[in-house]
Amino acid sequence: MKTMGLADLRLVAPERFPAPEATWMATNAGDVLERATVHETLLDSIKDCAAAFAMSARGREWSPQVLDVRTAALRAREIEGPVAFVFGNETAGLTNDEMFACQYLVHIPASREFSSLNLAQAVQVVAYELRMALDVAIPFSRVEKLATVEDLEGLYAHLEEAAVTSGFMTPASRLRERWRRLFSRVPALEREEVNILRGLLKALLK
């Protein structure tokens, strides 16, 4: 992370932290480790982010918009505000719930016959692509304040309330995944746009 200019490390329910072996392996990047924050849940760790990118080598039948890692890095560059790249643990990766907390599903193109990358390798590839996507010679354009993960989760809950109250959705419906997938195709929702949609839902519920 430090080599590629990244410093904001967020850990979700780590088995042990701090851990001596992590400090040993950090070498001259111990400052990144010392500033790392620990969170009980993934949603808590990314609630202030304008977008979250879930990393997975496995294809999913239902998922947010799927991007390769280079496209994802370029997309992240366009977003005003913090973005998160989310990695699962070494053994099992991300759960479906964790994946759907993110707006994008990202894969690292690799051989179909052998696509295995360990966690450290995957992090390094992503960090490198983010570094390559950053062109400091091109000033970033100003945009409206983007919706955070917390804003989007509020919208999804509001949609579910309206859908259930109106009888449009049954408890067993797959609509939750559908609308998450729908909104994941929007490059960057603004907070004001989310508020407009929620205002409309509130008016309809009355």
Side-chain angles (χ1 to χ4, degrees), residues 108 116-126:
I108 297 172
S116 177
L117 283 174
N118 68 32
L119 179 58
Q121 292 169 331
V123 171
Q124 187 64 71
V125 170
V126 170

Side-chain angles (χ1 to χ4, degrees), residues 9-175:
L9 174 61
R10 306 182 186 189
L11 305 174
V12 178
E15 185 176 311
R16 290 185 301 119
F17 185 81
E21 56 269 38
T23 304
W24 301 334
M25 294 177 70
T27 317
N28 293 324
D31 54 331
V32 175
L33 198 60
E34 289 168 6
R35 289 196 301 267
T37 55
V38 176
H39 304 264
E40 291 186 6
T41 66
L42 175 60
L43 281 177
D44 181 58
S45 73
I46 61 174
K47 65 183 181 183
D48 64 328
C49 294
F53 297 75
M55 298 301 303
S56 178
R58 293 187 292 119
R60 316 278 179 119
E61 181 182 358
W62 297 89
S63 73
Q65 184 179 359
V66 180
L67 303 173
D68 66 84
V69 65
R70 185 157 296 175
T71 303
L74 292 169
R75 180 71 55 84
R77 187 187 70 176
E78 297 168 357
I79 296 172
E80 181 81 9
V83 298
F85 278 77
V86 180
F87 298 83
N89 65 42
E90 189 85 53
T91 306
L94 296 171
T95 66
N96 283 338
D97 286 343
E98 289 168 336
M99 177 191 66
F100 273 115
C102 304
Q103 290 70 56
Y104 303 94
L105 181 64
V106 182
H107 69 97
I108 297 172
S111 168
R112 290 178 180 270
E113 286 72 30
F114 190 72
S115 59
S116 177
L117 283 174
N118 68 32
L119 179 58
Q121 292 169 331
V123 171
Q124 187 64 71
V125 170
V126 170
Y128 169 79
E129 290 293 346
L130 288 169
R131 185 70 184 174
M132 292 298 291
L134 181 63
D135 184 355
V136 295
I138 301 176
F140 300 141
S141 59
R142 296 291 298 173
V143 296
E144 295 297 321
K145 191 175 183 68
L146 296 183
T148 64
V149 170
E150 189 173 33
D151 293 330
L152 291 175
E153 288 298 322
L155 172 61
Y156 298 147
H158 213 151
L159 281 168
E160 182 168 347
E161 180 188 0
V164 171
T165 301
S166 66
F168 182 73
M169 185 179 84
T170 63
S173 173
R174 300 297 297 269
L175 275 176

